[in-house]
Amino acid sequence: MEKYAGKSILKRIAIGKMLFYSKGEQIVQRKSVTDVDAEIERYEKAKETAIDQLHGLYEKALKEVGETGAAIFDVHSMMLEDDDLNDSIRNMIESQKVNAEYAVAASGDNFSKMFAEMDDEYMQARAADVKDVAERVVRILYGRHDASNLGDEPVILIAKDLAPSETVQMDKSKLLAFVTELGSANSHTAILARTMNIPALIGVPVGEEMDGRIGIVDGNTGTLIVDPDEDVLKRYEAKREEEERQRELLQTLKNKEDVTLDGKHIRLYANIGSVGDTAKVLSNDAAGIGLFRSEFLYLEKNDYPTEEEQFQAYKTVAETMAGRKVIIRTLDIGADKQVDYFNLDREDNPAMGYRAIRICLDRRDIFRTQLRAIYRASAFGNIAIMYPMIISVKEVQEAKAMAEQVRAELRAQGIPYGDVEQGIMIETPASVIISDLLAEEVDFFSIGTNDLTQYTLAIDRQNAKLDAIYDSHHPAVLRMIQMVIDNGHKGGCWVGICGELGADQTLTETFLRMGIDELSVTPASVLPIRKIIRETDLGRSK
């Protein structure tokens, strides 16, 4: 029996035969050609075939994992149409009189190395995308197909690394788990694994010698166990059965009220990052959407999304939710969410820099476009607006004034809009301290515990070296949450939590006793939190 430590992407258990997935690295031979035009035509046809394949993958991923997971295939299509990459390939064929396969592979390697050596983390991540795109075209030129056949029985897939295109093409019914040696928790493959609800480990040393052996993926501890002995196997089989039993029990809570034993009703909402995520909200029976991260509409594009594009996205979600609350957070770009076309200056401390509401109140044309789209969509459902990264009353008043201008424009144009609540995110110590004043300006507060913890403890939550002292349960954080709830209620606001702490089941009863009105969590966390709510008696001393 062997044990390997890694980092867990999804806290679940998987048991089964392991399949080592090899990309079968393509050895591309350099050959001389005499008919340069014919070789360029071969490349152009292969490129168009690749683009068609990527469009098909985009549509498949859109249905299965939503816009966020599917966006990478749009990125790959755009890479294939990039002038610089195409010029490099054509020039190599013409000037060196080489075969298309070699020109594509060599150009792909050159561009991949160029991206990998850049300082920008986002551009570094594009190195793997360029390589994936080039390999796709080379496969087509050679007449090869993707090696995505996993066999007849479900397997734990182990690989050095997996490209997004590979994970989407694989038959999910044949996948028990992913285990990879490379990749990061924020890689496209990790994101797809979470969205597809498939257990995954990264950072685990793997090799062909594991192929065909029995493995256990323990997502709770981040451990891969190879060739478990009989006792260990029985123990994990029992754990897996208990997991399944608990999931089945949670299904009985669908269509039940989110109410404590003593009668307090709680708004139990879900967080989403794309239109496609709405299906998960409904399937997990959330009462609404407490956080629609609208910045993903910007992150997935190469230019500013138009008013019409945003309107259609918000309208679709509002209509799909059929009267349930949909809280749209206005643009929260900056910090760890950079968008090239915004042309933001490089900052030494972006988490405390030019971001969120600060950008919106500075670049008002962008803000106005988004507000118009949100208000237009509000005629089709129950929409609310939430402004992020607030630190002053003045910011709220300026945002509300912009909203009033937009409403006036729409009235003048005869465009209908609904009754829209306006709220703010409480995610800075400043907004906590003046929450009594802010409550006079808005309809609701939503506490963003991720940033609130970061700013309160002065700990960069992206810095892995500080994980040991990053304590979201810190008394200072909990006291701030209590202060916000108390001040919000005194000022007539309802108060919710939309940060990761809202899904922390060890704190659910604590939040209920604090007087929280709403919890917005990942869709998969809705039913587990509902169970705790329905088992809590606030009238009884803890």
Side-chain angles (χ1 to χ4, degrees), residues 11-14 197 199 236-252:
K11 292 187 175 182
R12 284 180 54 189
I13 292 171
N197 204 32
Y236 271 97
E237 285 175 342
K239 286 183 179 180
R240 185 182 60 179
E241 289 173 7
E242 178 61 18
E243 277 187 357
E244 185 58 36
R245 191 180 72 83
Q246 290 300 326
R247 280 195 292 272
E248 290 175 359
L249 281 174
L250 288 174
Q251 295 303 307
T252 65

Side-chain angles (χ1 to χ4, degrees), residues 3 11 22 33 39 49 72 84 89 118-119 146 191 254 321 343 355 383 386 438 448 452 462 472 498 515:
K3 287 187 178 182
K11 292 187 175 182
S22 174
V33 298
E39 205 63 20
T49 299
I72 183 59
D84 292 332
I89 293 168
M118 289 183 176
D119 292 332
D146 288 19
I191 292 168
K254 285 188 175 181
M321 291 303 293
N343 296 314
R355 58 174 293 198
I383 284 180
M386 180 161 67
L438 294 170
L452 182 59
Q462 305 292 330
S472 56
C498 66

Side-chain angles (χ1 to χ4, degrees), residues 61-85:
L62 190 64
K63 294 175 184 176
E64 296 180 355
V65 299
E67 288 185 14
T68 303
I72 183 59
F73 301 111
D74 259 353
V75 173
H76 283 196
S77 294
M78 288 184 282
M79 282 182 170
L80 278 173
E81 294 171 337
D82 179 74
D83 289 339
D84 292 332
L85 180 60

Side-chain angles (χ1 to χ4, degrees), residues 373-384:
I374 293 173
Y375 271 100
R376 285 175 58 197
S378 70
F380 298 87
N382 184 5
I383 284 180

